Amino acid sequence: MSMIGLFGVLIPFILFLAFQCSFLCKKSLGGPILKNWPFLDASRNALQYPRVLDWIAEVHEANDLTFVFKGPWFSGTDRLFTVDPRNINHMLSSNFAKSKGPEFKKIFDILGDGIVSADMELWEDLRKSGHALFHHQNFLKLSVSSTSSKLNDDLVPFLDKAAEKKIIIDLQDVFQRFMFDTASILMTGYDPMSLSIEMPKVEFGEAADFAEEAIFYRHLKPVILWRLQNLIGVGIERKMRTASAIFNSTFAKIISSRRKEEKEPAIINAVTYYMNVDTTKYKLLKPGNDTFIRDVVLSLLVAGRDTTSSALTWFFWLSKHPQVMTKIRQEMINTKFDPTDLETLVYLHAALSESMRLYPPVPFNHKSPSKSDVLPSGHKVEAESKIVICIYALGRMRSVWGEDASDFKPERWISENGGLKHEPSSKFLVFNAGPRTCLGKHLALLQMKMVAVEIIQKYDFEVVEGQKIEPVPSIILRMKHGLKVTVSKNI
Ligand code: HEM
């Protein structure tokens, strides 16, 4: 590297470190800082994560739902933050709903060419083929059978044992293991058996958690800084490299064993589906290329494991409200329901929606317009500029959800005739909206309901007093210290 090149890297790096030190020196957070919007105040708060999400919500409410964040001039961290449903509706129905932009692909490089970070024609092929997979009869059957057998064979015995021995368990860890096992069976045909009484170390799960945290921090740093950290292997970027190596070796083993099996197997999972995908229909997919299969399936696996386990954890934490649990139980007693078709459980659906409104598993969404535009709020955005929609803040806006926005009230989802109330996705953006709506929404809701029904019918949880419940800085809303509970059997 030339001297100029070296200085080009080091100067921003040193300035950024100084900048970060100034955040860390501040010990406590005050109210939202709005006066003059000094970037240091804004960014200092951004690193005090446990409070930052609430703080971002307060700033949105105080600024008519939209504000501009100015980072240091060299850092490329300027952002427009908006949770204005008019802006969201405009962005999701216009061209930049489809494309995520080149910056996103750089930040999510660990997912390679998977659907989450792909754009343009490749995304179109992945989206159409993914849609066909998620609607394939065999795949649908496998999603129900794998969830149901994991419940009966692993989760129930695990909770029985915890109840019998009166031990404290971390419910978040339990749900992550449960979802990892079911997602892995669905996507790769391999059951890692991570949910068992022995609670084995889950290398893949730890790698995914680190990668999600590193990606979160990449959104706050200049690209040049995190790339340099990755290159020399320091801080969270070192863990990102380890995560990448774990993903690669796990997938290398799975793909090579699937390649040895017969073509077009009777049981379809994402690996076998993409290995045999019809390239006359989806011209840009590469069934013979192992890296491509790794990218596509890894994205699906991560999308399925972490979001659903986060949603379940916050749901059970909020369901400590005894009146909510009583109503859910009452509905189960009064309703005839098919365990594989849980649509009739309206109150349960309402309670799940309500917990995801307050604790969305994906708390941020990033957009980047392909050409300059003026948003309905009057804010001008340049081509390739960065827009952040804080879904966590959106769910808490009094001007959007009413004065009781911060209360957990499943009843708000129930219409006068007793059915479910529909809320537009510009207001309830938990599963995204428009062309890039979550492909796994129905699968996630089905799995969450199957787990909730089984657990609520059989067990009571008591949340351990005095534990700190706070989110970890990550692209997924996980609890930093987990959720400690004790279990007792109620039948
Ligand atoms: C409660 C559970 C879930 C929530 C809240 C959720 C939420 C989301 C959100 C917000 C996005 C948009 C992300 C972005 O554009 O940056 C998304 C995309 C996606 N989700 Fe989910 N998700 C959940 C479960 C699942 C499951 C179980 C799967 C299946 C494996 C899945 C598969 C996907 C895929 C493939 C995309 C990419 C869609 C595209 O870009 O075209 N999700 N999800």
Side-chain angles (χ1 to χ4, degrees):
M1 197 186 278
S2 70
M3 279 308 272
I4 295 175
L6 189 65
F7 275 104
V9 172
L10 281 182
I11 291 172
F13 179 63
I14 291 162
L15 285 172
F16 196 81
L17 281 184
F19 175 60
Q20 282 199 325
C21 282
S22 81
F23 307 148
L24 299 172
C25 293
K26 172 120 182 194
K27 289 216 175 69
S28 66
L29 259 179
I33 297 155
L34 300 169
K35 289 175 229 140
N36 306 326
W37 196 245
F39 78 80
L40 272 180
D41 278 337
S43 309
R44 188 187 292 136
N45 285 317
L47 287 194
Q48 315 249 350
Y49 198 73
R51 260 279 292 146
V52 75
L53 289 169
D54 291 321
W55 180 79
I56 291 177
E58 287 163 30
V59 179
H60 275 101
E61 193 97 79
N63 281 274
D64 256 350
L65 308 180
T66 305
F67 63 89
V68 177
F69 168 79
K70 283 255 170 237
W73 62 267
F74 58 84
S75 68
T77 49
D78 289 5
R79 306 273 187 276
L80 177 94
F81 280 75
T82 185
V83 290
D84 186 331
R86 293 169 308 161
N87 290 347
I88 295 174
N89 192 41
H90 175 82
M91 289 190 274
L92 294 170
S93 55
S94 71
N95 241 346
F96 61 102
K98 271 190 189 175
S99 164
K100 295 200 167 166
E103 181 88 357
F104 191 92
K105 195 157 172 65
K106 276 185 223 157
I107 290 180
F108 282 77
D109 58 2
I110 197 157
L111 297 181
D113 279 335
I115 186 169
V116 174
S117 49
D119 268 339
M120 318 289 280
E121 290 82 11
L122 175 60
W123 170 76
E124 302 239 350
D125 273 3
L126 287 167
R127 180 84 197 179
K128 285 189 203 135
S129 57
H131 189 268
L133 171 66
F134 279 74
H135 287 84
H136 196 293
Q137 276 308 313
N138 284 354
F139 189 78
L140 291 171
K141 271 191 209 145
L142 181 63
S143 30
V144 174
S145 65
S146 57
T147 310
S148 165
S149 59
K150 270 283 144 198
L151 275 173
N152 297 328
D153 302 344
D154 297 320
L155 188 62
V156 166
F158 177 86
L159 293 176
D160 281 352
K161 197 71 162 186
E164 185 195 313
K165 300 220 170 251
K166 298 190 176 17
I167 49 173
I168 293 177
I169 57 167
D170 174 359
L171 207 50
Q172 174 170 264
D173 187 27
V174 171
F175 288 145
Q176 281 187 319
R177 287 165 185 267
F178 179 86
M179 288 314 308
F180 176 49
D181 289 354
T182 48
S184 177
I185 297 171
L186 261 180
M187 300 306 165
T188 70
Y190 162 69
D191 182 355
M193 307 278 286
S194 71
L195 178 60
S196 68
I197 308 293
E198 296 75 36
M199 293 298 234
K201 187 174 158 64
V202 189
E203 226 186 13
F204 188 99
E206 281 177 13
D209 292 348
F210 285 140
E212 287 156 5
E213 282 167 40
I215 290 172
F216 173 87
Y217 283 108
R218 282 181 177 187
H219 280 100
L220 301 177
K221 296 176 196 169
V223 178
I224 193 165
L225 174 64
W226 64 255
R227 285 218 158 146
L228 182 69
Q229 290 177 325
N230 190 280
L231 190 74
I232 51 184
V234 290
I236 190 109
E237 285 295 329
R238 191 161 68 94
K239 293 182 177 166
M240 186 69 150
R241 279 171 43 163
T242 314
S244 185
I246 291 170
F247 292 159
N248 292 345
S249 69
T250 310
F251 272 93
K253 281 183 222 145
I254 292 172
I255 293 169
S256 98
S257 83
R258 294 284 166 272
R259 289 238 184 257
K260 288 181 197 136
E261 290 166 5
E262 54 171 319
K263 290 254 168 204
E264 306 270 6
I267 297 178
I268 198 170
N269 56 58
V271 171
T272 54
Y273 172 78
Y274 278 104
M275 278 179 176
N276 296 292
V277 78
D278 181 353
T279 47
T280 56
K281 258 197 206 155
Y282 312 114
K283 295 201 166 36
L284 296 179
L285 305 193
K286 301 176 204 152
N289 180 323
D290 288 0
T291 309
F292 181 76
I293 303 287
R294 172 247 183 238
D295 293 353
V296 173
V297 181
L298 173 63
S299 300
L300 295 176
L301 186 55
V302 172
R305 165 193 176 256
D306 301 340
T307 46
T308 315
S309 56
S310 152
L312 277 170
T313 309
W314 291 102
F315 168 74
F316 275 99
W317 183 61
L318 286 167
S319 299
K320 64 187 185 301
H321 294 251
Q323 68 280 23
V324 172
M325 204 39 90
T326 308
K327 281 192 181 172
I328 295 176
R329 285 210 170 106
Q330 209 57 51
E331 181 181 59
M332 286 181 197
I333 294 165
N334 296 339
T335 317
K336 269 195 179 0
F337 62 89
D338 170 352
T340 59
D341 173 17
L342 301 167
E343 296 292 305
T344 42
L345 298 176
V346 172
Y347 193 81
L348 175 64
H349 190 109
L352 287 168
S353 303
E354 182 67 348
S355 74
M356 289 189 284
R357 175 183 73 86
L358 289 170
Y359 294 98
V362 182
F364 292 99
N365 195 325
H366 300 261
K367 293 273 163 251
S368 182
S370 52
K371 52 182 194 306
S372 63
D373 197 1
V374 179
L375 299 180
S377 61
H379 292 81
K380 192 165 187 299
V381 287
E382 300 300 335
E384 308 298 333
S385 61
K386 290 160 195 160
I387 304 175
V388 181
I389 305 169
C390 178
I391 304 172
Y392 179 94
L394 174 61
R396 284 155 193 266
M397 291 299 100
R398 289 193 295 279
S399 54
V400 176
W401 290 96
E403 283 309 307
D404 59 359
S406 51
D407 298 347
F408 178 60
K409 267 175 65 178
E411 288 70 18
R412 78 174 82 238
W413 292 90
I414 300 188
S415 64
E416 277 166 17
N417 66 13
L420 278 168
K421 207 193 254 173
H422 172 77
E423 291 292 0
S425 43
S426 53
K427 197 174 157 187
F428 185 62
L429 196 61
V430 165
F431 289 101
N432 207 12
R436 294 197 85 134
T437 297
C438 172
L439 258 184
K441 177 178 174 183
H442 295 289
L443 171 64
L445 283 168
L446 173 75
Q447 290 186 308
M448 282 158 66
K449 286 180 192 173
M450 285 176 77
V451 173
V453 164
E454 188 72 24
I455 289 184
I456 293 170
Q457 278 180 329
K458 294 195 170 132
Y459 306 97
D460 281 317
F461 290 138
E462 183 119 359
V463 173
V464 172
E465 292 286 321
Q467 62 183 310
K468 239 187 181 171
I469 301 292
E470 58 186 24
V472 75
S474 170
I475 53 168
I476 301 290
L477 199 66
R478 277 188 294 112
M479 291 183 185
K480 189 171 181 182
H481 316 285
L483 177 62
K484 311 284 183 325
V485 300
T486 51
V487 193
S488 54
K489 283 177 86 162
N490 66 19
I491 45 171

